[in-house]
Amino acid sequence: MALLPLIDDDVARALDDLPTHVNELGYDPWGFSPSYARVGYTLAKRFVHSYFRPDVDGIRNVPAGRVLLIANHSGQIPLDGVVIAVTCLLEAHPPRLVRPMVERWFPRVPFVNEVISRGGATLGAPINCRNLLNDEQAILVFPEGVKGSGKVWSQRYKLQGFGRGFMRLALQTNTPIVPIGVVGGEESLISLHNWKGMAKLLGMPYLPIPALLPVLGPLAFLPLPVKFFLRFGEPMTFEGRHDDDDAGIDAKVQKVTAAIDGLIADGRRARTSLF
Amino acid sequence: MITEDARACILVTGIAGGLAQEVARKLRIAGHEVIGVDYRPLPVLAKDLEGMTVFRASYNKTAIEDVFRGRKIKAVLHLGREGNLSKRMGMRFDLNVLGSQKIMNLCVDHGVKVLVVLSTFHIYGAHPHNHIPISEDDPIQAGYDFPEIADAIQLDSMASTWVYKHPEVRTVVLRPTNVVGPTIHNSISTFLRMKRVPYLAGFNPMVQFIHEEDLATAVVRAMDGNARGVFNVGGPAVLPWRVALELADARVFPVPSSLASFYIRTFSAFPEYLINFYKYPCVIGDDAFRKAFDWAPHVPIDETLASTVADARRRQRPEEPRA
């Protein structure tokens, strides 16, 4: 590959250390390709480390083997997933390839669909999750979905209601959950309003009106270089029936949201400046 | 396992096609007597198939009954599904639904012990929300976007019901992925053989292919085995569509998907719905078939694709040296 000399050594080493799950052509069934990931993660590392400069705590809590990484979602453009993925690949022991579960509209977006699948993202379908966990992989889920990433400023750092799917999955596959609190995403692109009508017209889940639009014009849709704080909580294990009634599942989900709320508070306390 | 009456023969439908002939070849090598039938004009048979009895008969007409009469048939391999979606809907319905039903009824009436029906993975449909892999228990969704595929769905569902409705006939329904190979002339093989192959800009879904030789072995294993039911049959590897085009030595050019849809809808006989198979994944899992029939594909993916297009590329680029 022409870009080979530019590949970051740490990225190459971490990807080489991952267990091999690809076929003879270098792809897994979901489209992940280590050779493309080398390029993608090299670019992502340079961007994330120089632009968002994440302050990471608790990365040792990410275990080897199957794990569900559950985080709060924010920032309009879901770059929080990229920050978590880069951190888990380069700072976790052993290095973990995070498989983000993406929204249903991503596969329809030209070019983006290919970039994210070569990097390891897959459609957030329960069967994809189950198959990947049974393959001892690490899955990143934002249970708030687009309600989380599309939050407006007045809703910042308020969890938008978690779905139950991730908990049923954890119970079904006997998978530990590592809660993650992400701080910084909310301020990276401050949205004052969600223009729902236009979003629907464009086939997008939401369309933010950035606070800096009058000042920066279209550039306001780009994220600001705020400093990110990632707080990884201790693994949580749950027991019970995966097909329990909603009330039983909600009680367990509540424990995860409480843990994430605590981690967000830790991150906000550690922050002395937005940048 | 077929044990009784060694003199009984095996009926293979779709014998004018490359896959059915490959199956017949394997069966004859194994010592079986094979007869073939097709609604299409019968081709001149290759030397190793000379002497095989072949009939021309529409599957939904009384002529097909004559094929069953007066001979003992121990197995029917119904490979003659009309899969060309550019053919008239009425014709496909007559052959695939009414014809298949007639053949299945004849199997019961004539004491046939084994029936293998060739369906297709197209019935699952290629959707942006498809998970990976798709199993035999997943819903059949193709009709949602493309009602014209109803005949293939109905054939599959009829045969699947047959599995349990008629336990006296061990029925195996196969849903193979893209079937390719040097003697296959379906939509995907024809597409791969084009001089310049378009791809949809911004889309590069994961795809699978199975070589005719591997599928022929799968059909024979299904006939010889003990299991019954509905099974996906995948290929040797899952790969991005554009990597497949590279392996097929295709000269490619990008087109916006909206332009491709417009062109196909307006000027081409190629079914518009199949565009989705070049945008979204429809990757099937075949663990159940591999386990039940101790089968695995043997032709590597590069050879699978290269052999499909070899003759076409030789004609298109006679100046290029070939291995």
Side-chain angles (χ1 to χ4, degrees):
Chain A
M1 190 173 285
L3 288 167
L4 216 53
L6 302 175
I7 299 296
D8 184 90
D9 288 343
D10 294 338
V11 168
R13 206 174 303 119
L15 286 168
D16 286 345
D17 285 349
L18 293 174
T20 306
H21 298 281
V22 296
N23 62 24
E24 68 273 24
L25 295 169
Y27 297 90
D28 79 2
W30 291 271
F32 168 68
S33 157
S35 60
Y36 281 88
R38 274 180 174 75
V39 179
Y41 269 97
T42 293
L43 296 173
K45 178 195 168 184
R46 287 176 188 163
F47 172 66
V48 166
H49 283 187
S50 60
Y51 202 75
F52 292 133
R53 298 150 285 123
D55 177 291
V56 179
D57 186 56
I59 188 70
R60 67 185 180 286
N61 290 323
V62 178
R66 65 182 67 183
V67 62
L68 270 164
L69 305 168
I70 306 295
N72 60 309
H73 210 8
S74 57
Q76 311 301 322
I77 305 166
L79 291 171
D80 41 8
V82 178
V83 178
I84 293 171
V86 167
T87 302
C88 287
L89 184 74
L90 297 176
E91 298 189 35
H93 298 288
R96 297 310 311 266
L97 174 73
V98 166
R99 310 297 301 253
M101 296 289 109
V102 300
E103 296 296 333
R104 284 180 161 218
W105 70 289
F106 271 103
R108 295 178 188 271
V109 185
F111 303 102
V112 173
N113 72 81
E114 187 178 357
V115 170
I116 60 172
S117 65
R118 297 294 171 271
T122 58
L123 177 76
I127 294 176
N128 280 342
C129 294
R130 206 169 59 217
N131 288 338
L132 287 163
L133 290 174
N134 286 335
D135 202 27
E136 303 301 331
Q137 303 212 33
I139 288 185
L140 173 61
V141 181
F142 296 106
E144 296 167 277
V146 292
K147 283 183 295 180
S149 55
K151 284 197 294 272
V152 294
W153 182 243
S154 60
Q155 298 168 314
R156 66 189 181 281
Y157 296 118
K158 288 178 190 157
L159 297 182
Q160 294 300 299
F162 276 27
R164 303 178 185 99
F166 78 92
M167 183 55 71
R168 294 191 189 280
L169 194 66
L171 293 168
Q172 191 180 15
T173 56
N174 197 22
T175 301
I177 287 173
V178 170
I180 305 173
V182 182
V183 172
E186 301 282 15
E187 294 83 4
S188 67
L189 203 165
I190 295 168
S191 169
L192 296 180
H193 179 68
N194 175 13
W195 191 1
K196 288 180 186 165
M198 182 57 78
K200 197 174 174 189
L201 209 63
L202 296 173
M204 296 165 68
Y206 52 83
L207 182 62
I209 303 298
L212 297 176
L213 192 63
V215 185
L216 299 176
L219 291 178
F221 286 94
L222 297 177
L224 295 170
V226 299
K227 186 172 175 63
F228 269 58
F229 290 76
L230 297 190
R231 296 295 179 260
F232 292 80
E234 291 190 359
M236 306 170 79
T237 50
F238 293 91
E239 287 178 4
R241 292 171 58 91
H242 74 274
D243 55 354
D244 198 0
D245 59 31
D246 287 352
I249 298 293
D250 284 343
K252 295 180 173 78
V253 169
Q254 187 56 40
K255 290 182 182 172
V256 179
T257 54
I260 293 175
D261 271 331
L263 292 163
I264 291 172
D266 284 351
R268 294 182 81 180
R269 269 195 300 274
R271 180 164 69 174
T272 51
S273 154
L274 272 188
F275 302 100
Chain B
M1 184 85 72
I2 302 168
T3 50
E4 64 184 51
D5 198 352
R7 287 166 306 159
C9 64
I10 297 166
L11 172 64
V12 180
T13 71
I15 201 68
L19 174 68
Q21 289 182 29
E22 185 59 34
V23 169
R25 197 169 284 122
K26 286 184 185 303
L27 293 172
R28 281 161 64 94
I29 290 169
H32 295 288
E33 187 193 338
V34 180
I35 59 172
V37 63
D38 207 304
Y39 70 92
R40 296 170 289 187
L42 297 168
V44 177
L45 293 171
K47 219 174 182 61
D48 55 356
L49 291 177
E50 272 178 7
M52 184 172 71
T53 308
V54 290
F55 300 92
R56 186 175 182 193
S58 271
Y59 310 143
N60 60 325
K61 299 282 169 60
T62 49
I64 192 74
E65 295 170 17
D66 296 336
V67 177
F68 280 79
R69 280 191 201 112
R71 55 175 57 84
K72 178 74 182 161
I73 297 175
K74 56 186 172 184
V76 171
L77 311 181
H78 184 31
L79 314 180
R81 186 180 66 83
E82 175 51 67
N84 188 340
L85 291 167
S86 62
K87 289 269 168 70
R88 202 166 45 81
M89 178 64 176
M91 178 197 171
R92 283 190 285 119
F93 189 84
D94 284 348
L95 287 166
N96 293 342
V97 180
L98 301 181
S100 298
Q101 186 187 35
K102 196 170 190 75
I103 286 172
M104 290 193 273
N105 283 332
L106 286 166
C107 286
V108 174
D109 294 346
H110 291 266
V112 173
K113 296 291 178 210
V114 182
L115 170 66
V116 179
V117 178
L118 191 70
S119 178
T120 172
F121 86 121
H122 281 140
I123 58 175
Y124 291 119
H127 299 281
H129 53 260
N130 273 353
H131 57 247
I132 294 172
I134 293 172
S135 83
E136 294 84 351
D137 296 330
D138 283 315
I140 306 299
Q141 299 189 84
Y144 176 78
D145 289 327
F146 186 55
E148 288 82 356
I149 203 172
D151 62 303
I153 294 174
Q154 201 167 334
L155 160 61
D156 185 281
S157 115
M158 206 162 60
S160 304
T161 310
W162 203 261
V163 172
Y164 304 103
K165 200 171 168 188
H166 291 282
E168 68 274 28
V169 183
R170 185 173 64 78
T171 303
V172 182
V173 182
L174 302 180
R175 295 174 180 166
T177 185
N178 291 304
V179 185
V180 295
T183 69
I184 302 291
H185 296 281
N186 55 13
S187 298
I188 185 75
S189 301
T190 308
F191 193 54
L192 288 170
R193 290 182 192 121
M194 284 167 65
K195 204 170 181 180
R196 291 175 66 80
V197 185
Y199 68 84
L200 301 178
F203 294 95
N204 195 9
M206 301 303 284
V207 292
Q208 295 160 291
F209 298 91
I210 184 168
H211 193 274
E212 58 185 274
E213 167 84 23
D214 280 331
L215 184 55
T217 309
V219 170
V220 174
R221 288 281 173 87
M223 184 194 81
D224 282 339
N226 294 313
R228 65 182 67 220
V230 182
F231 297 93
N232 291 338
V233 189
V238 186
L239 69 165
W241 169 239
R242 286 211 295 282
V243 174
L245 293 178
E246 278 172 33
L247 294 177
D249 193 18
R251 289 180 180 161
V252 299
F253 65 99
V255 287
S257 66
S258 51
L259 188 65
S261 295
F262 173 76
Y263 175 80
I264 286 170
R265 205 168 40 237
T266 317
F267 301 110
S268 167
F270 191 78
E272 187 193 353
Y273 161 76
L274 287 187
I275 274 204
N276 278 359
F277 283 86
Y278 306 103
K279 283 174 89 172
Y280 309 123
C282 183
V283 174
I284 57 172
D286 64 357
D287 289 349
F289 184 76
R290 290 179 188 233
K291 200 172 160 194
F293 296 101
D294 188 27
W295 172 90
H298 286 292
V299 184
I301 186 65
D302 51 350
E303 198 181 321
T304 296
L305 289 160
S307 66
T308 303
V309 300
D311 283 347
R313 297 290 179 260
R314 247 190 300 274
R315 281 195 305 276
Q316 291 158 0
R317 304 171 208 160
E319 72 287 356
E320 284 185 14
R322 308 219 164 249

